[in-house]
Amino acid sequence: MRKTLFRDPKNGKLGGVCAGLAEYFGVEIWLMRILAVTAFLLGVGFFATVAYIAAWLILDKMPLQRKEQQHQYTEHNVKQKPWQSGQSPQQILHNVETELGRSEVQIQKMEAYVTSSAFKVDREFNKL
C-alpha cells in the first residue's frame, strides 16, 4: 500500500503539518514537533518557517477514514521503540479484548435471530 503525505489538522496544533509528517514517517507526533522547533532554533528558522507554511498551503487535509459498512477492523501497531508511533502491548491487548467483546455480543444477536421463528418465516418468504 502506497503512503501519501497529508496534513492532519485533527491531531495537529498549528495546521497539522507535523502530525501529517509523523503519520507519514511512522514516528510520534511529539518527536516531529521537537525536530521542527529545533530546526527553527538552530538558525534555520527562516527556512523552517517558509517550509512549514509551504507545506501547510500545499498539502491536502487528511481524508476521513471510510467505514466499511458495519465491519470495522482496527489495525494494531505495536510500538517497538519509544519514538515510533503505535500502541503499547497493554493498550493493544485492552483494545483487542474490547473488540472481541463487541463481536461476541453481535454473534449472540445473530445466533438468537437464526434460532428464532422470525428467521424461519423470513426464509420462507424469501423462497417465494
Side-chain angles (χ1 to χ4, degrees):
M1 185 172 156
R2 186 174 175 216
K3 284 186 172 182
T4 306
L5 181 59
F6 292 107
R7 284 186 302 119
D8 188 6
K10 180 181 175 192
N11 295 320
K13 297 288 184 191
L14 185 68
V17 174
C18 288
L21 287 170
E23 174 71 27
Y24 183 78
F25 290 113
V27 297
E28 290 287 338
I29 297 172
W30 62 266
L31 178 63
M32 194 58 65
R33 289 181 183 140
I34 288 175
L35 290 173
V37 169
T38 303
F40 181 77
L41 294 176
L42 288 178
V44 291
F46 177 74
F47 176 73
T49 304
V50 170
Y52 190 92
I53 292 171
W56 190 353
L57 296 173
I58 293 171
L59 294 177
D60 293 329
K61 286 184 182 180
M62 185 175 286
L64 297 174
Q65 299 294 332
R66 291 183 354 190
K67 292 182 181 175
E68 300 292 330
Q69 296 174 354
Q70 292 182 351
H71 305 290
Q72 184 177 359
Y73 299 104
T74 306
E75 183 178 330
H76 300 288
N77 295 323
V78 177
K79 184 184 290 194
Q80 302 292 327
K81 296 179 177 114
W83 61 84
Q84 289 179 329
S85 63
Q87 298 174 325
S88 69
Q90 294 84 8
Q91 290 171 326
I92 290 178
L93 182 60
H94 174 72
N95 294 345
V96 168
E97 287 174 347
T98 303
E99 288 177 21
L100 288 175
R102 284 190 212 130
S103 297
E104 185 175 353
V105 169
Q106 289 177 342
I107 290 171
Q108 288 173 354
K109 287 179 183 177
M110 286 189 300
E111 184 179 10
Y113 173 68
V114 169
T115 57
S116 71
S117 60
F119 175 75
K120 293 175 186 174
V121 171
D122 288 342
R123 186 175 56 190
E124 293 301 321
F125 275 120
N126 287 335
K127 286 182 181 178
L128 296 177

